[in-house]
Amino acid sequence: MAVPRHKHTRSKVGKTRMHKNIKRVVLGVCPKCKKPVLSHTVCRNCGFYKGQEVINVLASLTKKEKKAREKEIKQAEAQQK
Ligand SMILES: [Zn+2]
């Protein structure tokens, strides 16, 4: 088994652990539905990216979910105006 040759000072330990933290995720806001989204990614809520529809979000939903989502999107658009 490998044995450490030198003492690892508290300073060295601290310098290593300094980079082992969890970095805060920086979120932007979707211009269409105003939900928080990761930058440079398609909005999971409305399926839009750069003003174009990339994913049809409503296709994979059930009838009830689809109705609720459409209502939500309409409300967001109404708030925008
Ligand atoms: Zn969106």
Side-chain angles (χ1 to χ4, degrees):
M1 199 180 91
V3 179
R5 201 174 254 206
H6 300 288
K7 179 183 159 66
H8 218 156
T9 63
R10 297 304 305 160
S11 167
K12 279 275 185 192
V13 171
K15 280 173 188 170
T16 303
R17 288 181 188 167
M18 172 171 67
H19 302 290
K20 288 190 170 181
N21 58 353
I22 297 169
K23 285 173 183 78
R24 194 174 181 173
V25 178
V26 181
L27 294 172
V29 178
C30 175
K32 189 170 167 66
C33 64
K34 306 293 178 194
K35 291 254 177 168
V37 284
L38 279 170
S39 56
H40 307 290
T41 52
V42 178
C43 176
R44 286 279 169 189
N45 186 52
C46 62
F48 272 69
Y49 182 68
K50 284 188 172 180
Q52 286 185 329
E53 190 175 3
V54 182
I55 302 168
N56 189 359
V57 181
L58 302 173
S60 61
L61 299 174
T62 62
K63 202 174 179 182
K64 200 174 181 181
E65 288 172 331
K66 199 182 276 187
K67 211 171 184 180
R69 183 63 67 85
E70 280 174 347
K71 195 177 175 185
E72 201 175 274
I73 291 170
K74 272 185 183 173
Q75 273 186 343
E77 283 177 1
Q79 278 184 351
Q80 208 170 1
K81 289 171 187 172

